[in-house]
């Protein structure tokens, strides 16, 4: 599995995650060229899962070689020569994308020559919550949720502490707690062209069960650069019955003066929600902080 590649038409070194996003934002073509980043290597790579609207539950987008023989003898990416391994930074989750993240790249008159020196490995940087959920699942399989960390807004957190199940947690104590909240939910389309999500499992408040809800408006979705991917995933889940597992990076909100208490999650950035099919639920068992 290769993490990064050179995209010569854009004169850019990019991650498979970025290539995936650019494709679904209609910025990158499906037949785009990718080249190896290894020392003195120009082997062509394939971006696996590039055109799949739903990622395989066990695989993130990644680059792979067509043939190992295509790589240069000096390529440490393919051959892993002794001494080539270098320290890689921790995962990073950014709350906002750079303004030019989905830009149409303006090329220089003459393409820049590639350096023969291998570039240092970079931290995995994510903007979509779905990518972080995939890493959570990988760490869950590896059994290192308590030690694997991610940098969010300058704060370093373990994956075990970051992901929290809504089930039977006392919501009055948690309204200021921003985390990646998750749980089973039901999903439906709204008349206005948006989506409404209601968690099946509930927070606790005094003696009541409060099922948090989320509304994704049509206006917010149309302004979202990766809306084609988001709608494809949500519409597929609705067509299959609407039952799902939802993840949100947010704080639970509960009004103090409401006649009847209720809980909502507000998602002002659609990168911060991930909704998946029920088949993921078995893999999520034992990952909740609720015992």
């Amino acid at each position: 599995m290769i993490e990064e590649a050179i995209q010569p038409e854009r004169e850019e070194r990019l991650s498979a995650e970025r290539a995936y996003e650019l494709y679904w934002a209609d910025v990158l073509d499906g037949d785009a060229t990718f080249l190896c980043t290894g020392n003195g290597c120009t082997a062509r790579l394939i971006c696996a899962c590039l055109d799949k609207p739903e990622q395989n539950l066990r695989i993130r987008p990644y680059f792979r070689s067509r043939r190992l023989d295509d790589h240069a003898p000096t390529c440490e990416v393919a051959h892993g020569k002794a001494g080539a391994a270098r320290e890689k930074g921790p995962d990073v989750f950014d709350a906002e994308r750079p303004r030019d993240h989905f830009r149409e790249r303006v090329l220089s008159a003459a393409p820049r020559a590639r350096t023969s020196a291998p570039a240092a490995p970079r931290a995995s940087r994510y903007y979509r919550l779905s990518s972080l959920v995939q890493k959570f699942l990988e760490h869950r399989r590896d059994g290192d949720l308590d030690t694997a960390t991610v940098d969010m807004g300058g704060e370093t957190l373990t994956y075990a502490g970051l992901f929290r199940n809504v089930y039977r947690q006392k919501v009055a104590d948690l309204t200021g707690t921003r985390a990646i909240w998750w749980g089973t939910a039901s999903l439906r389309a709204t008349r206005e062209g948006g989506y409404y999500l209601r968690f099946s499992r509930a927070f606790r408040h005094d003696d009541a069960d409060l099922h948090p809800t989320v509304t994704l408006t049509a206006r917010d979705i149309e302004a979202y650069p990766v809306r084609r991917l988001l709608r494809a995933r949500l519409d597929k889940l609705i067509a299959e019955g609407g039952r799902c597992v939802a993840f949100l990076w947010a704080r639970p909100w509960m009004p103090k003066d409401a006649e009847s208490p209720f809980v909502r999650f507000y998602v002002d950035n659609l990168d911060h929600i991930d909704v998946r099919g029920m088949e993921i639920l078995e893999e999520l068992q034992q990952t909740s902080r609720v015992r």
Side-chain angles (χ1 to χ4, degrees):
M1 182 181 291
I2 301 173
E3 295 283 346
E4 292 188 315
I6 300 292
Q7 213 292 299
E9 288 84 3
R10 293 176 59 84
E11 297 182 5
E12 181 177 359
R13 175 178 169 170
L14 74 179
S15 66
E17 163 76 7
R18 176 154 168 77
Y20 184 75
E21 291 184 342
L22 291 175
Y23 170 81
W24 284 96
D26 297 318
V27 175
L28 196 67
D29 293 333
D31 59 355
T33 300
F34 302 104
L35 302 177
C36 182
T37 63
N39 184 18
C41 188
T42 57
R44 291 200 170 208
L45 304 180
I46 297 169
C47 187
C49 306
L50 183 69
D51 60 352
K52 297 187 186 310
E54 284 206 19
Q55 297 172 26
N56 181 297
L57 291 178
R58 303 187 67 83
I59 300 175
R60 289 178 290 116
Y62 66 97
F63 295 110
R64 63 178 176 83
S65 307
R66 287 179 168 86
R67 298 182 313 163
L68 185 61
D69 291 345
D70 292 341
H71 290 268
T74 56
C75 179
E76 76 285 356
V77 173
H79 305 304
K81 291 186 176 181
R86 286 159 290 162
E87 193 71 22
K88 182 182 177 182
D91 293 340
V92 178
F93 184 78
D94 283 330
E96 300 290 341
R97 299 170 187 267
R99 288 186 179 181
D100 61 351
H101 189 78
F102 291 106
R103 69 194 180 283
E104 292 282 357
R105 187 104 172 176
V106 178
L107 299 182
S108 58
R112 291 173 294 178
R114 287 185 59 188
T115 176
S116 60
R122 299 180 295 186
S124 296
R125 186 173 293 274
Y126 303 113
Y127 302 98
R128 288 187 307 122
L129 181 60
S130 59
S131 299
L132 215 58
V133 172
Q134 284 297 124
K135 292 300 294 282
F136 171 69
L137 295 174
E138 291 172 14
H139 289 303
R140 189 256 183 271
R141 293 176 206 123
D142 294 340
D144 61 356
L145 286 172
D146 289 321
T147 56
T149 59
V150 57
D151 186 332
M152 302 183 75
E155 183 179 6
T156 301
L157 304 166
T158 67
Y159 277 85
L162 180 60
F163 282 75
R164 305 185 64 162
N165 195 325
V166 303
Y167 184 51
R168 298 192 65 80
Q169 298 218 40
K170 295 182 179 179
V171 67
D173 299 334
L174 297 167
T175 53
T177 302
R178 188 163 197 172
I180 298 176
W181 295 98
W182 68 271
T184 55
S186 60
L187 176 71
R188 65 175 174 84
T190 66
R191 250 183 254 178
E192 295 79 18
Y195 299 89
Y196 177 81
L197 188 145
R198 182 178 186 269
F199 279 79
S200 309
R201 291 296 183 94
F203 282 116
R204 291 290 298 162
H205 181 63
D206 296 334
D207 295 327
D209 287 340
L210 301 182
H211 298 264
T213 61
V214 185
T215 300
L216 309 180
T217 68
R219 176 184 294 180
D220 288 342
I221 291 171
E222 288 309 305
Y224 183 49
V226 201
R227 59 187 172 276
R228 187 162 63 96
L229 175 62
L230 180 62
R231 283 199 182 277
R233 300 183 75 173
L234 298 183
D235 290 344
K236 183 176 185 292
L237 289 170
I238 291 172
E240 293 172 350
R243 295 187 67 222
C244 59
V245 179
F247 299 82
L248 300 100
W249 188 44
R251 296 182 180 89
W253 179 78
M254 185 174 64
K256 296 180 180 180
D257 54 355
E259 186 174 331
S260 298
F262 62 89
V263 181
R264 284 182 185 155
F265 285 114
Y266 287 98
V267 180
D268 55 2
N269 185 335
L270 296 184
D271 281 330
H272 299 168
I273 184 169
D274 184 34
V275 184
R276 300 182 178 228
M278 291 296 289
E279 63 270 13
I280 198 179
L281 192 58
E282 183 177 351
E283 186 158 7
L284 282 166
Q285 289 176 350
Q286 308 305 318
T287 58
S288 170
R289 293 176 64 83
V290 179
R291 298 288 186 255

